[in-house]
Amino acid sequence: MTWIHKAGLAVGLALVVLGSTGCSYNTFVGQEEGIKAQWAQVENQLQRRNDLIPNLVETVKGIAQQEQDVFGRIADSRAKLAGATTPEQQMQAANEQTAALARLLVVVENYPQLRSNEQFARLMDELSGTENRIAVERMRYNERVQAYNTSRRQFPSNITASLFGFKEHALFDAPKEAEALPRVNFGRPGGA
């Protein structure tokens, strides 16, 4: 083989490597942009949880508290009426019971069905749905990272990755604390 053939072979090999490097480069750029976009979706769902859950908890607490107050007043007035020994005590207890029942009628008019149970069920559905959305977006992010990291290590794209400084991306590994659902406290000591 003459030096011209050797030079031609070297040039041909260099063109093949450069050609595959260019393709790999564009692939890496596209994959990195996909990773960024997918991570934005993870952050979007985390923000959704941060926005949604406290508002739902406060809504449920408000409705539950209103119902608890009304039923508590009715029960208290009933107990006072049962324990009243003088006519004045009976009148006082009856007036309290009338006021409590009037409040109950207002609540029933505003909420044809008292909705604590529906609101608690909705809160649990939203918590579960939000956690599922986060899990799905994390999974999609990890799939994109895995595809990128795999391409980065395969030949000949590993040459491109090395030449242009494409670094490995980390998978989303949640800390152990993040595996637990967010704790929700409805004002009860030790409640979750």
Side-chain angles (χ1 to χ4, degrees):
M1 215 183 243
T2 67
W3 71 273
I4 294 177
H5 284 103
K6 288 181 183 179
L9 186 60
V11 169
L13 184 60
L15 288 174
V16 168
V17 169
L18 284 176
S20 66
T21 300
C23 293
S24 297
Y25 180 85
N26 292 336
T27 300
F28 285 138
V29 169
Q31 287 176 325
E32 281 191 330
E33 291 303 314
I35 289 169
K36 289 177 191 175
Q38 191 57 52
W39 180 248
Q41 282 302 103
V42 172
E43 290 178 322
N44 183 33
Q45 292 306 319
L46 292 172
Q47 186 62 49
R48 179 182 187 274
R49 176 174 62 188
N50 288 339
D51 293 343
L52 176 69
I53 301 308
N55 291 334
L56 284 173
V57 169
E58 289 304 313
T59 299
V60 171
K61 281 172 62 176
I63 291 172
Q65 186 63 46
Q66 182 178 15
E67 293 172 14
Q68 183 179 354
D69 289 346
V70 169
F71 289 125
R73 288 181 188 151
I74 292 170
D76 289 345
S77 66
R78 190 169 175 239
K80 285 181 183 177
L81 189 60
T85 55
T86 66
E88 291 81 19
Q89 289 176 342
Q90 289 175 336
M91 282 187 261
Q92 174 79 23
N95 286 339
E96 286 180 28
Q97 194 170 50
T98 299
L101 290 171
R103 181 70 185 130
L104 176 63
L105 290 175
V106 169
V107 170
V108 169
E109 286 173 9
N110 290 332
Y111 304 98
Q113 298 174 350
L114 296 175
R115 297 177 189 222
S116 285
N117 290 338
E118 286 179 31
Q119 293 299 328
F120 283 103
R122 180 171 176 249
L123 174 62
M124 295 311 296
D125 286 347
E126 289 293 336
L127 282 170
S128 177
T130 298
E131 293 306 312
N132 286 338
R133 287 177 184 193
I134 291 169
V136 166
E137 296 304 338
R138 279 193 329 232
M139 178 193 67
R140 289 177 180 163
Y141 170 80
N142 282 344
E143 287 172 349
R144 285 188 180 262
V145 168
Q146 180 186 12
Y148 167 84
N149 287 342
T150 301
S151 293
R152 199 184 136 276
R153 292 181 59 208
Q154 292 175 333
F155 182 80
S157 56
N158 61 346
I159 297 169
T160 305
S162 177
L163 285 173
F164 292 100
F166 287 102
K167 302 294 182 198
E168 184 172 340
H169 282 270
L171 294 170
F172 186 97
D173 289 327
K176 287 293 180 193
E177 313 84 61
E179 291 177 10
L181 287 175
R183 293 184 52 83
V184 178
N185 185 338
F186 292 105
R188 293 186 193 120

